[in-house]
């Protein structure tokens, strides 16, 4: 019988999925038994022998593969030759799993499932490696049910292919790759799927369009291919593992079989990447403690919202909400309780707001509500009052009940500003006003607040100009010996020759300069000028100490250190006659490196004074940890020496103990001076002797003193370094 005819008969009888062949029993006997014509035939009969002979005579290799055990259980003669096996027993004893790659094993499992699920049949180019010799075959295979019910595979190898090595390798790659490759005709009907693509198809023959979760993604892909001949896009796809994100590369091509135009897709699963991206975006945009949108979210989303609102004439209100005395609650109940309170607030605020707006946490105990579709100021007031009212309801944290009130600052779009930065800034200014107003209330940004800000902005602008146009000047206030009235030194105090407002004292501008960071440049200028002055005075015969105020901001900057260390080289000053005045705030807010910085300055000869001592909240004993040479006692203590001198006495004894020189500030009366003399304070500053004066006047004071007592003037004491 002709091979093809015999095979047709054979297949007709042993239809895959239904045929029962024995697992490990001699398969050819079973095969014969299962064919309807031979079922009744005695295995030892001539007919049976003929049938077996026919199968063996076929040029087509046929074998049965037990997927579960990775073994061939039956093979005809052609198959034995393909597998380079001496006998069926030898072939059946081979464990195919030893050389099998993971991808092939997975694919076989997938085929097994496909055979179980449907009447599947595939043809693929396979390269097998009998005795390590690569042999490439066209293999058609179908499901095959063993006696014990398990699903195996009936393989039929067609003519051995004689492809080029490139051809062989490319078809192997197509078979093994995890990239899903599929070919569709122009109507979207699948023509070919490689194993990876087939493994994920939820149902056979699914049209391209039906694979997309969103039809628009399919339409977009097709239109891009129409326009550009190909495209790359990611889309959500229906697969046998559920909905997955695929990155799809599509190319127009021609089907090699029909010659008609077709679409070649290669797809990779990027679900994990998408999920990671989504998670990262969520984390970047949301506050981890409360789950509310965070400042980042506000900054990225609100500008667009403003644009849309502006285009349709919608009005918005921005409410910055700050919990009153949250710090005290946090300190009293602990951080965990503070966090718990914030979580409860983050639940309460959206509950009150509902659909009226969006709630975000800006940081710390500061929240933002963006109210949309605002129709009137009354509506805003009513909403704020409702918020304040609702926060009268107690919170329960850690079994303890308490009330946490809030203050609200409001700015309106577009009235107060058209960009987010301005709106938040103005809401913040209004919040500050609400706090000043006694808290537990709200304040809307208004004209007088706007004027205040404008003044501030003008001041900032003028300050920058002042530095460029050299409008700053240093005045000097004498530091005087309490007993001899000799000038021991001078404190450099900044003045601003304002072009319209006249001579300004630092109280009018230092804070603004601090806020905009300009104090660093200004402070450096002061330091340099004061050092130049010290050098000049010394050369003129006045070897006195010049003290310079250093702001906390300057200490935070990286430039101060090098600026101080290079001061002598730059100006010719004598570091032993320069004293740096720092505040308690500087000591308190800086990290531990300040001790090293101050020690280095002291080693170089500079004096270190604590300015306005007693106004900070530091405890007296901490001073001993710092290399301090003088304590400048704040004038508020001096003003009270007549009535309450207990603290002054304490400070004086502390100075003695720590070997630090006390300097009294703001001495205005003879009584105060007498008290200082009595209690051993050797140095003072104050209007009693002289206010801060222009450098020329300061020289005049020195000269006059020099003329009065020339011999003493030669012995100005340098400050002691303890
Ligand atoms: P300060 O360093 O404590 O300077 C002493 C201030 O007290 C000076 O005010 C001085 O004029 C004033 N004063 C002196 N004696 C008396 C007195 O008997 N009675 C009264 N009521 N006041 C007296 P000024 O010059 O207005 O400076 C104020 C503050 O500005 C300074 O306080 C200092 O903290 C800061 N400052 C001044 N110049 C600079 C500077 O160049 N850099 C930095 N960072 N701050 C400076
Ligand atoms: Mg000072
Ligand atoms: Mg002071």
């Amino acid at each position: 019988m002709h091979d093809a005819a015999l095979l047709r008969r054979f297949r007709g009888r042993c239809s895959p999925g239904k045929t029962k062949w024995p697992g490990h029993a001699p398969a050819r006997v079973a095969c014969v038994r299962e064919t309807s014509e031979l079922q009744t035939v005695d295995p030892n009969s001539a007919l049976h022998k003929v049938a077996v002979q026919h199968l063996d005579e076929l040029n087509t290799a046929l074998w049965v593969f037990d997927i579960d055990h990775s073994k061939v259980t039956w093979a005809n003669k052609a198959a034995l030759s393909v597998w380079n096996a001496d006998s069926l027993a030898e072939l059946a004893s081979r464990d195919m799993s030893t050389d099998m790659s993971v991808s092939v094993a997975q694919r076989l499992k997938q085929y097994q499932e496909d055979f179980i699920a449907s009447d599947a049949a595939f043809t693929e180019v396979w390269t097998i490696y009998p005795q390590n010799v690569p042999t490439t075959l066209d293999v058609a295979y179908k499901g095959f049910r063993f006696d014990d019910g398990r699903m195996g595979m009936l393989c039929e190898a067609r003519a051995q292919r004689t492809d080029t090595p490139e051809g062989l390798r490319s078809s192997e790659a197509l078979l093994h790759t995890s990239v899903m490759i599929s070919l569709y005709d122009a109507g979207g009907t699948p023509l070919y799927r490689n194993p990876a693509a087939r493994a994920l198809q939820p149902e056979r023959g699914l049209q391209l369009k039906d694979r997309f979760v969103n039809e628009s993604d399919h339409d977009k892909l097709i239109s891009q291919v129409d326009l550009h001949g190909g495209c790359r896009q990611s889309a959500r796809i229906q697969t046998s593992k559920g909905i997955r994100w695929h990155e799809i590369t599509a190319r127009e091509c021609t089907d090699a079989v029909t010659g008609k135009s077709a679409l070649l897709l290669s797809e990779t699963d990027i679900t994990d990447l998408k999920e990671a991206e989504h998670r990262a975006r969520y984390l970047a945009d949301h506050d981890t403690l409360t789950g509310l949108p965070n400042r980042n979210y506000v900054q990225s989303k609100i500008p667009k919202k403003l644009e849309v609102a502006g285009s349709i004439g919608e009005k918005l209100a921005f409410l910055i909400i700050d919990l009153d005395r949250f710090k005290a609650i946090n300190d009293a109940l602990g951080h965990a309780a503070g966090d718990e309170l914030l979580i409860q607030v983050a639940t309460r605020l959206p509950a009150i707001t509902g659909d009226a707006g969006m709630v975000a946490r800006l940081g710390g105990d500061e929240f933002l509500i963006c109210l949309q579709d605002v129709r009137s100021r009354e509506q805003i007031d009513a909403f704020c009052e409702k918020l304040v009212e609702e926060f009268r309801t107690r919170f329960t944290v850690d079994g303890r009940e308490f009330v946490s009130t809030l203050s609200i600052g409001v700015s309106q779009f577009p009235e107060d500003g058209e960009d987010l930065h301005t709106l938040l800034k103005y809401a913040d200014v209004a919040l500050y006003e609400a706090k000043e107003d006694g808290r537990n209330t709200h304040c809307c940004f208004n004209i007088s607040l706007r004027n205040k800000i404008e003044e501030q902005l003008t001041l900032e602008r003028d300050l920058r100009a002042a530095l460029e146009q050299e409008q700053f000047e240093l005045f000097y206030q004498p530091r005087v010996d309490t007993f001899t009235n000799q000038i021991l030194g001078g404190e450099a105090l900044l003045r601003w020759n304002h072009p319209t407002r006249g001579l300004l004292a630092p109280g009018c501008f230092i804070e603004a300069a601090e806020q905009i960071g300009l104090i660093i440049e200004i402070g450096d200028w002061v330091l340099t000028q004061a050092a130049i002055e010290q050098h000049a005075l010394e050369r003129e015969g006045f070897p006195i100490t010049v003290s310079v105020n250093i702001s906390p901001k300057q200490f935070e900057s990286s430039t101060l250190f090098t600026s101080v260390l290079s001061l002598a080289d730059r100006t010719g000053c004598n570091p032993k006659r320069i004293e740096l005045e720092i505040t308690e705030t500087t000591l308190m807010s800086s990290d531990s490196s300040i001790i090293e910085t101050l020690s280095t300055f002291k080693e170089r000869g500079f004096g270190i004074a604590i300015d306005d001592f007693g106004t900070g909240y530091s405890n007296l004993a901490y001073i001993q940890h710092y290399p301090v040479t003088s304590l400048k006692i704040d004038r508020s203590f001096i003003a009270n020496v007549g009535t309450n001198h207990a603290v002054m006495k304490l400070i004086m004894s502390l100075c003695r103990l720590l070997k630090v020189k006390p300097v009294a500030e703001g001495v205005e009366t003879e009584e105060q001076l007498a008290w200082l003399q009595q209690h051993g304070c050797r140095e003072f500053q104050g209007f009693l002797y002289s206010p801060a004066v222009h450098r020329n006047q300061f020289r005049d004071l020195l000269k006059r003193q020099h003329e009065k007592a020339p011999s003493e003037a030669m012995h100005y004491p340098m400050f002691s370094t303890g």
Side-chain angles (χ1 to χ4, degrees), residues 543-585:
I544 57 156
T545 302
V546 172
S547 50
V548 185
N549 293 285
I550 307 284
S551 95
K553 266 268 164 61
Q554 273 178 279
F555 250 93
E556 282 169 22
S557 86
S558 53
T559 49
L560 182 77
F561 191 74
T562 42
S563 192
V564 170
L565 295 195
S566 65
L567 198 61
D569 289 343
R570 288 191 287 125
T571 65
C573 76
N574 178 357
K576 291 198 170 145
R577 296 197 196 279
I578 301 279
E579 191 171 54
L580 307 173
E581 295 191 6
I582 59 172
T583 62
E584 283 175 278
T585 329

Side-chain angles (χ1 to χ4, degrees), residues 608-666:
I608 312 285
I610 306 290
D611 202 358
D612 306 336
F613 182 74
T615 52
Y617 295 99
S618 47
N619 85 50
L620 295 176
Y622 82 100
I623 294 292
Q624 64 183 310
H625 300 302
Y626 298 93
V628 169
T629 45
S630 315
L631 271 194
K632 297 189 75 177
I633 306 158
D634 190 68
R635 70 164 180 269
S636 55
F637 296 104
I638 310 298
N640 287 329
V641 285
T643 50
N644 178 6
H645 49 233
V647 180
M648 265 304 285
K649 277 186 170 168
L650 191 68
I651 296 173
M652 296 302 294
S653 53
L654 176 87
C655 289
R656 263 193 300 279
L657 210 66
L658 299 177
K659 298 192 173 61
V660 169
K661 181 175 62 177
V663 180
E665 286 191 298

Side-chain angles (χ1 to χ4, degrees), residues 21 41 142 227 245 306 449 499 505 520 535 558 586 588 598 713:
W21 282 21
V41 176
K142 294 184 168 191
L227 269 176
W245 275 98
L306 292 175
L449 289 178
I520 293 164
H535 180 55
S558 53
T586 302
M588 306 286 284
L598 292 178

